[in-house]
Amino acid sequence: MSQQAQMTDEQLEKRKAMMEAQDEAVREGLEVFRNKILVMSGKGGVGKSTVAAYLAVGLAKKGFQVGLMDVDLHGPSIPRLLGIKENISSSPESRKGIPISYLPNMQVMSIESLLGDKDTATIWRGPLKIGVIKQFISDIEWSHSDYLVIDCPPGTGDEPLTVAQVIPDTKAIIVTTPQEISLADVRKSINFCKQVNMRVLGLIENMSGLRCPHCGKTIDLFKTNGGALTAKKAGLPLLGSLPLEPDIVVEGDNGTVKWMEKRGLPYTASFAKIVDTVADLTK
Amino acid sequence: MSQQAQMTDEQLEKRKAMMEAQDEAVREGLEVFRNKILVMSGKGGVGKSTVAAYLAVGLAKKGFQVGLMDVDLHGPSIPRLLGIKENISSSPESRKGIPISYLPNMQVMSIESLLGDKDTATIWRGPLKIGVIKQFISDIEWSHSDYLVIDCPPGTGDEPLTVAQVIPDTKAIIVTTPQEISLADVRKSINFCKQVNMRVLGLIENMSGLRCPHCGKTIDLFKTNGGALTAKKAGLPLLGSLPLEPDIVVEGDNGTVKWMEKRGLPYTASFAKIVDTVADLTK
């Protein structure tokens, strides 16, 4: 064999050893989490990030230790939804990144908190994204946690596939709107979970009806009940239905979660029930 | 040099020749189109596919020859929006695929029309997706056309990057809703276009206000005017603002475009103006 071929072999060995070391670090990093929940959707814009962010906050407010990991590398929404402006710092001892402390018992990690200019486009191809998602676990100092909530970009591409392969015992929550065009994509997500052997905790129907703030009557903008029917057909639990609520849209834009204290709001009551159900299903 | 190394060189040569032949076929395939328009969005669920589908139909109804290519491989929406149920057939002479004829002067290509089971999840990593997008041009028998309208999945990942590299003189239309969380992602899309040297024709603000069907008053669900302000800041034209219209949501779910004939509908009037502007800008 020529010297060049030998060098390539050596380089390959080194590369293999490096990747094995990272995989080991990922395995170790995951051990701190008792439950991993992947919030996914077939279609974008159904409120997946909102559900992931508020589910993490809801579980934390119930007293659980929660980590929230935003693996939407092209359009991260979590920092804005939660009003997070800080950047990730790093620990002088472990040389790992320290996630942002949103509540005393809740940490957040997002690509947005690593970028200087928030309007920068993350133009990354698939293989690079796999590496970044692995680093979000191996190179980040997560505290011991009851839940790791993962916000994934829509669809069935590199990011959810990487989560399924890298974080083996993840359970999925699928978010949808009641429109048929969204439900068609939900069925794809359910099939994706079957193919990669990921347990689905249930479906959440978002944007399910809107009450006119002027006359009080209900407008079925994206229809209603479609999520419930799809869940039933697939033999999956419907974790809850959330109405469209203009106040929640405003709070999302402003990065506040004051609605959580407004017990009279239908959205608040429905969301509290979802958090309780998820806690029960993962006890 | 060992035999193994020689074989690898030969294989590499063959692979290189194959890829060059495909790139040549892509270049030839693109020559039939006078204008290529990429409809993109930073965030999902803002109505990007709806705009792409209706823009293609609108241009066709004005008399142009139009091709509509859906490169959203994980969540293709175009066939449902246009009520397309046929599958792609193939030409016995050229052995190429024949796109679906939606109108006498409009052809449509989508991954959905190649899949047997419409609920199948397309679990593909990045590199495979690049190949598929190339094949959508090189292996498909597009007729001579004035416009190729391309519907891209949201974000700045593999698909828009592939379109930018494979289809060099594409012009972009960016769709957004007026919410701040959507506009943040639009700024990423604008930066993406700058980085890959893609000209932006303009912005379209979708879901801009909703008239309550009961009391007639306007509900600013996702606020209004945010798209106009973002366009102004970026020095880009606002091609138009489209209101949220429950009837259009229903038509989208049913795959009909009867609204195009309802001249009195504010959505119809706004959309017609957008089509005229796009035709003017690409004369």
Side-chain angles (χ1 to χ4, degrees):
Chain A
M1 217 183 273
S2 73
Q3 206 198 339
Q4 203 187 346
Q6 268 180 355
M7 270 181 62
T8 312
D9 276 358
E10 244 175 62
Q11 282 171 335
L12 270 173
E13 284 288 315
K14 246 190 210 162
R15 205 178 144 66
K16 214 180 136 197
M18 245 179 63
M19 284 179 75
E20 274 170 11
Q22 192 190 28
D23 285 351
E24 181 56 36
V26 169
R27 263 190 299 276
E28 271 174 29
L30 284 173
E31 273 170 16
V32 305
F33 294 106
R34 197 164 53 83
N35 276 295
K36 296 107 192 169
I37 297 175
L38 177 69
V39 182
M40 60 190 299
S41 72
K43 195 179 167 306
V46 299
K48 176 191 46 60
S49 297
T50 312
V51 166
Y54 296 167
L55 176 64
V57 178
L59 287 167
K61 293 215 166 175
K62 271 178 87 81
F64 293 111
Q65 298 278 335
V66 182
L68 173 60
M69 185 166 100
D70 181 3
V71 303
D72 191 336
L73 305 176
H74 302 297
S77 308
I78 295 289
R80 176 170 300 274
L81 283 166
L82 296 182
I84 292 171
K85 291 192 174 70
E86 302 95 304
N87 280 336
I88 301 290
S89 57
S90 72
S91 154
E93 297 101 49
S94 68
R95 300 181 61 191
K96 287 188 174 187
I98 301 170
I100 284 146
S101 183
Y102 176 75
L103 290 172
N105 57 335
M106 180 178 155
Q107 293 179 311
V108 181
M109 178 68 208
S110 166
I111 192 79
E112 176 120 327
S113 311
L114 286 171
L115 301 173
D117 175 4
K118 304 295 178 208
D119 293 340
T120 306
T122 316
I123 310 179
W124 287 349
R125 294 236 182 240
L128 189 55
K129 291 192 269 190
I130 304 168
V132 172
I133 294 174
K134 282 187 178 176
Q135 283 190 297
F136 270 21
I137 301 162
S138 63
D139 296 0
I140 295 295
E141 210 168 79
W142 294 101
S143 304
H144 287 258
S145 268
D146 297 307
Y147 289 95
L148 176 65
V149 178
I150 307 161
D151 179 25
C152 216
T156 52
D158 283 296
E159 294 86 347
L161 189 51
T162 300
V163 170
Q165 288 171 345
V166 173
I167 314 178
D169 52 346
T170 310
K171 296 172 194 86
I173 289 177
I174 304 174
V175 183
T176 182
T177 63
Q179 314 157 261
E180 178 49 38
I181 204 159
S182 174
L183 294 170
D185 287 343
V186 164
R187 292 189 291 267
K188 285 187 212 289
S189 295
I190 295 172
N191 282 331
F192 170 89
C193 291
K194 269 188 205 155
Q195 283 182 55
V196 300
N197 279 318
M198 197 188 286
R199 184 186 151 197
V200 181
L201 283 181
L203 261 61
I204 293 176
E205 185 179 75
N206 197 22
M207 308 193 185
S208 180
L210 161 73
R211 211 175 47 89
C212 173
H214 307 298
C215 70
K217 284 190 183 153
T218 299
I219 310 166
D220 282 346
L221 187 60
F222 300 121
K223 301 190 191 166
T224 44
N225 216 29
L229 289 171
T230 302
K232 207 178 164 184
K233 254 193 197 163
L236 291 170
L238 182 80
L239 302 177
S241 288
L242 296 164
L244 250 178
E245 180 58 72
D247 286 356
I248 305 284
V249 177
V250 172
E251 286 213 32
D253 266 357
N254 295 339
T256 54
V257 290
K258 286 180 203 144
W259 60 268
M260 282 206 177
E261 313 307 327
K262 295 179 191 156
R263 301 281 165 193
L265 213 64
Y267 187 96
T268 307
S270 297
F271 209 95
K273 252 178 70 183
I274 289 173
V275 175
D276 289 344
T277 309
V278 170
D280 274 347
L281 285 171
T282 51
K283 244 198 313 242
Chain B
M1 217 183 274
S2 72
Q3 206 198 338
Q4 201 184 349
Q6 269 180 357
M7 272 182 60
T8 312
D9 276 357
E10 247 176 63
Q11 283 171 336
L12 272 172
E13 285 289 317
K14 247 190 211 163
R15 203 176 147 67
K16 213 179 136 198
M18 245 178 64
M19 283 179 74
E20 274 170 11
Q22 192 190 26
D23 285 350
E24 181 56 37
V26 169
R27 264 190 299 276
E28 271 173 30
L30 284 173
E31 273 170 15
V32 304
F33 295 107
R34 195 165 55 83
N35 275 296
K36 297 105 191 171
I37 297 175
L38 177 68
V39 182
M40 61 189 298
S41 73
K43 195 181 167 304
V46 299
K48 176 191 46 60
S49 297
T50 312
V51 167
Y54 297 166
L55 176 65
V57 178
L59 288 166
K61 294 215 166 173
K62 270 178 89 82
F64 294 109
Q65 299 278 334
V66 181
L68 174 59
M69 185 166 100
D70 181 5
V71 303
D72 191 336
L73 305 175
H74 302 297
S77 308
I78 294 290
R80 174 168 302 275
L81 283 166
L82 296 181
I84 292 172
K85 291 192 174 66
E86 302 94 303
N87 280 336
I88 300 291
S89 57
S90 73
S91 153
E93 298 100 51
S94 68
R95 298 182 61 192
K96 287 188 175 188
I98 301 169
I100 284 144
S101 182
Y102 176 75
L103 290 171
N105 58 336
M106 179 178 156
Q107 294 179 311
V108 181
M109 178 67 207
S110 166
I111 191 79
E112 176 119 329
S113 311
L114 286 170
L115 301 172
D117 175 4
K118 303 295 177 207
D119 293 341
T120 306
T122 315
I123 310 179
W124 287 349
R125 293 235 181 241
L128 189 55
K129 292 193 268 192
I130 303 168
V132 171
I133 294 174
K134 283 187 179 176
Q135 282 189 295
F136 271 21
I137 302 162
S138 63
D139 296 0
I140 295 294
E141 209 168 79
W142 294 99
S143 305
H144 287 258
S145 268
D146 298 307
Y147 289 96
L148 176 65
V149 178
I150 306 162
D151 179 25
C152 218
T156 53
D158 283 295
E159 295 86 347
L161 189 51
T162 300
V163 170
Q165 289 171 344
V166 173
I167 314 177
D169 52 345
T170 311
K171 296 171 193 84
I173 290 177
I174 304 175
V175 183
T176 182
T177 63
Q179 313 158 261
E180 178 50 38
I181 205 157
S182 173
L183 294 170
D185 287 344
V186 164
R187 292 190 291 265
K188 285 186 213 289
S189 294
I190 295 172
N191 281 332
F192 170 90
C193 290
K194 268 188 206 158
Q195 283 183 54
V196 299
N197 280 319
M198 197 188 286
R199 183 187 152 198
V200 181
L201 284 181
L203 260 61
I204 293 177
E205 184 179 76
N206 198 22
M207 308 194 185
S208 180
L210 161 73
R211 213 174 46 88
C212 173
H214 306 297
C215 70
K217 284 190 183 153
T218 298
I219 310 168
D220 282 347
L221 188 58
F222 301 121
K223 302 188 190 166
T224 44
N225 215 29
L229 289 172
T230 302
K232 207 176 164 187
K233 253 192 199 164
L236 292 169
L238 182 79
L239 303 177
S241 289
L242 297 165
L244 249 178
E245 182 57 73
D247 286 356
I248 305 283
V249 177
V250 172
E251 286 213 33
D253 266 357
N254 295 340
T256 55
V257 290
K258 287 178 203 145
W259 61 267
M260 282 205 178
E261 312 307 327
K262 295 178 191 157
R263 301 281 165 193
L265 213 62
Y267 188 96
T268 307
S270 298
F271 209 95
K273 252 177 71 181
I274 290 173
V275 174
D276 290 344
T277 309
V278 170
D280 274 348
L281 285 171
T282 52
K283 246 198 314 244

